[in-house]
Amino acid sequence: MKAGRFGICTMILCLLAAGLSRPAAAQDEGAYLIDQIAAIVGGTIVKDSDIESRYLELQLQGYTSSRDMRCEILESFLEQKLLINQAAIDSVTVSEGEVTRELEQRVRMLIDRYGSRENLEAAAGKSLVLLRNDWRETVRNNLLEYAMQREILKDIKVSPSEVRTFYNKLPKDQLPTSPETYTVQQITMNPPYREEAIAETRQKLLELRRRVVNGESFTSLAVLYSEEEAAVMTGGELGFMSKSNLDPDFWEAAMALREPGDVSRVVETKFGYHIIQLIAKRGDMMNCRHIIMKPKADAALVSDMLHRLDSLANFIRQDSTTFELAARTLSDDESTRANGGTMINPEDKSTRMELTSDYFTPEELSVLRTMQVGEISKAFQTTDATGNLVFKIMKIKGVTPSHVVNLDDNYETIQGMALEAKMQEKLEKWVDEKIVDTYIMIDPRYRDCEFSNSKWYK
C-alpha cells in the first residue's frame, strides 16, 4: 500500500528489499541490543536487534522521517507480525522455492546496482553467502505478509462511479503528474527452428529423465542443465502454484503425476521444453521441480527472418499496406496482434508506457530511443515475456506529453489510485479488528512511541 497507515510500512519494506545489511563495525556497535524483546504479537516476536538492523539499513538508503524512526520501524514490524500471525492461523504459506527466487532476484538487483559482486560485498562488509543468510528470513516474512494481504484484499474492486467520486474528492493541487508516455506498435515473428534442433533438445531432456529414474538427483541436474537462471538456487523448484499461475500444458502434465518423485515425459510449452518432477499436491495447489531447455536457432534462419521483416517494414513505408493490417495478419504475438500490434501497459491496461525497463527490453529501448513518431524501426532480435528469442519491427504511434492526471487521459491511473485507497481502508480496518483479539505486548521502553495507530496500546 502507498497511502495511509500502511504507507510507511511498505516504504520501509521496499527500501529493505533494495538495501544492504549494516557493515560489521556497525553491528558491533549495536550488539548490546541483540537479545532484548521489543514486542510480541501473537506467537511472533520483534527484537531490538531487528529494529536496529532495519534502522541502519534505512540510513544507508538515505531515508529520513519527521517521526522517531525506531518507533516508526517498530510499528511496521507490529503490522507485519500481525499479518504473519494470521497467515499461520489461516495456513497461508510460502515455499522455500518462492523465498529463494525472491532472494536471488534482490541479490541480482543489488549486484547490478553496485556493478559487481565484489563491490556489493565491500559495501556490505560481508560475503554474499552471509548476506543471503541475513536476508532469507526477512524475505520469507515479507512474502508471508504480502500473501496474507492478498488473501484479505482479493475481492476488493472499484466501480466507475467510485473512481469518479474518488477523483472529484482529490485536492486538485495534489494530483500527480503523468510522465511522458508512448504508444508503441510491434510486429513480432518467432524464429523457425530446424527439426534437428528440436529433436536434439528433446533427446537431451529424455537423457536427463533417464538419469533421474536411475537414481540421480533431479535438483542437482536442474542446477547443472536447466536454462532457467533461478534453477542454480532453487534446483528447479517452483513453489506451490495454482492452475492460473502456470502454462496449461505444464499444469496438465504436472497434475498427471501421481506420487512425489514421479517424473514426466518431455512437455512442450510456450516457454520451451521441460521435464517435471512432482514434489507435492495440496488441494488445488501443486509444487514441482522442472528442467527447461530451448532449441537453438540456426544462424542462416535468423538472418533470413531479419531480412523478411526489413522487407515488410519497407513495404509499409511505401504505403503498400498499413502497420495495423500487417500486424493482424503476420504478427506471431497473440497479445498485440488483434489490436493492430499496439502494446498494452501491463499495470493499468492502457496503451501508454514510459520508455523504461519496466516495460521494454534493453534491445527495444535501444531502438525506440532513436525513433520519431510515425517511424518504423529496422528489424532486430530480442526476447519476449517468456524469455524466448523473437524478431520484430516497432513503430511509435504517438507520444503523450507530461501532464497533470485527469479522468479523460488517465482513467486507468486514477482507477488504480481509487482501488489502492479502498484496499488501504480495508487493510486498516482489518488491523484494527485483529488488534482487539490478538495478544500484543510492547516493551515499556517503547511506551513513549507515537504510533499512527493508537490501538496498539490497547
Side-chain angles (χ1 to χ4, degrees), residues 216-226 231 235 289 291:
E216 291 192 50
S217 165
F218 193 105
T219 299
S220 297
L221 294 175
V223 170
L224 291 171
Y225 297 107
S226 184
R289 302 181 185 91
I291 297 173

Side-chain angles (χ1 to χ4, degrees), residues 205-206 208-210 212-213 218 249-250 252-259 261-268 273-278 289-291:
L205 285 167
L206 285 172
L208 293 177
R209 182 184 187 279
R210 183 193 64 78
V212 173
V213 170
F218 193 105
D249 294 321
F250 188 102
E252 184 178 343
M255 288 301 287
L257 300 172
R258 296 183 178 275
E259 300 294 333
D262 286 353
V263 183
S264 72
R265 295 288 181 179
V266 177
V267 180
E268 181 183 0
Y273 293 83
H274 319 247
I275 54 172
I276 306 165
Q277 183 181 55
L278 179 66
R289 302 181 185 91
H290 77 128
I291 297 173

Side-chain angles (χ1 to χ4, degrees), residues 174-237:
Q174 295 182 20
L175 286 170
T177 299
S178 173
E180 184 176 67
T181 55
Y182 292 74
T183 299
V184 177
Q185 294 172 288
Q186 64 176 6
I187 296 175
T188 300
M189 292 187 180
N190 298 328
Y193 294 111
R194 296 191 187 278
E195 289 298 325
E196 296 89 335
I198 296 173
E200 181 181 357
T201 300
R202 296 180 67 92
Q203 189 57 44
K204 287 179 180 177
L205 285 167
L206 285 172
E207 173 60 18
L208 293 177
R209 182 184 187 279
R210 183 193 64 78
R211 291 170 64 177
V212 173
V213 170
N214 287 342
E216 291 192 50
S217 165
F218 193 105
T219 299
S220 297
L221 294 175
V223 170
L224 291 171
Y225 297 107
S226 184
E227 296 176 8
E228 178 187 51
E229 285 187 30
V232 174
M233 293 305 302
T234 67
E237 182 178 348

Side-chain angles (χ1 to χ4, degrees), residues 439-451:
Y439 173 73
I440 297 171
M441 185 283 291
I442 299 174
D443 189 275
R445 291 173 296 114
Y446 292 93
R447 284 290 175 175
D448 291 334
C449 282
E450 294 183 4
F451 294 141

Side-chain angles (χ1 to χ4, degrees), residues 379-431:
F380 63 98
Q381 66 182 57
T382 183
T383 54
D384 62 13
T386 67
N388 288 322
L389 176 69
V390 292
F391 306 95
K392 61 176 60 179
I393 54 175
M394 304 185 84
K395 175 183 176 181
I396 296 180
K397 186 176 182 179
V399 178
T400 303
S402 176
H403 62 280
V404 175
V405 298
N406 60 78
L407 277 175
D408 291 333
D409 297 324
N410 309 100
Y411 179 85
E412 297 88 355
T413 299
I414 297 167
Q415 181 185 45
M417 294 168 62
L419 178 62
E420 193 165 354
K422 191 172 182 179
M423 291 166 70
Q424 178 69 50
E425 183 180 354
K426 168 72 174 178
L427 201 53
E428 290 178 356
K429 182 179 178 182
W430 182 90
V431 167

Side-chain angles (χ1 to χ4, degrees), residues 72-261:
E72 192 174 9
I73 291 168
L74 174 57
E75 185 167 19
S76 78
F77 272 122
L78 294 174
E79 292 164 347
Q80 182 190 70
K81 299 300 185 183
L82 196 66
L83 286 158
I84 291 174
N85 188 64
Q86 189 64 38
I89 294 171
D90 293 349
S91 299
V92 175
T93 63
V94 295
S95 71
E96 284 305 306
E98 292 174 285
V99 174
T100 300
R101 280 197 304 278
E102 179 68 16
L103 178 60
E104 289 311 303
Q105 181 177 340
R106 296 179 181 190
V107 168
R108 285 196 299 272
M109 179 184 68
L110 283 168
I111 290 174
D112 289 343
R113 174 179 294 177
Y114 282 85
S116 71
R117 170 177 175 162
E118 291 73 22
N119 290 345
L120 173 59
E121 291 176 331
K126 58 175 64 176
S127 71
L128 203 53
V129 171
L130 291 177
L131 287 175
R132 284 191 175 98
N133 290 338
D134 287 348
W135 293 336
R136 178 169 285 275
E137 192 60 27
T138 297
V139 169
R140 186 194 319 281
N141 287 339
N142 287 354
L143 290 176
L144 274 172
E145 177 186 9
Y146 300 149
M148 193 64 228
Q149 283 186 2
R150 286 195 300 271
E151 186 66 22
I152 295 166
L153 303 173
K154 62 183 179 182
D155 297 324
I156 301 294
K157 297 180 176 64
V158 288
S159 66
S161 63
E162 288 177 306
V163 175
R164 286 192 295 273
T165 300
F166 174 82
Y167 175 74
N168 290 331
K169 287 182 178 180
L170 284 174
K172 295 304 178 274
D173 60 347
Q174 295 182 20
L175 286 170
T177 299
S178 173
E180 184 176 67
T181 55
Y182 292 74
T183 299
V184 177
Q185 294 172 288
Q186 64 176 6
I187 296 175
T188 300
M189 292 187 180
N190 298 328
Y193 294 111
R194 296 191 187 278
E195 289 298 325
E196 296 89 335
I198 296 173
E200 181 181 357
T201 300
R202 296 180 67 92
Q203 189 57 44
K204 287 179 180 177
L205 285 167
L206 285 172
E207 173 60 18
L208 293 177
R209 182 184 187 279
R210 183 193 64 78
R211 291 170 64 177
V212 173
V213 170
N214 287 342
E216 291 192 50
S217 165
F218 193 105
T219 299
S220 297
L221 294 175
V223 170
L224 291 171
Y225 297 107
S226 184
E227 296 176 8
E228 178 187 51
E229 285 187 30
V232 174
M233 293 305 302
T234 67
E237 182 178 348
L238 295 177
F240 278 96
M241 298 278 191
S242 64
K243 185 175 183 178
S244 62
N245 299 130
L246 292 170
D247 178 274
D249 294 321
F250 188 102
W251 173 266
E252 184 178 343
M255 288 301 287
L257 300 172
R258 296 183 178 275
E259 300 294 333

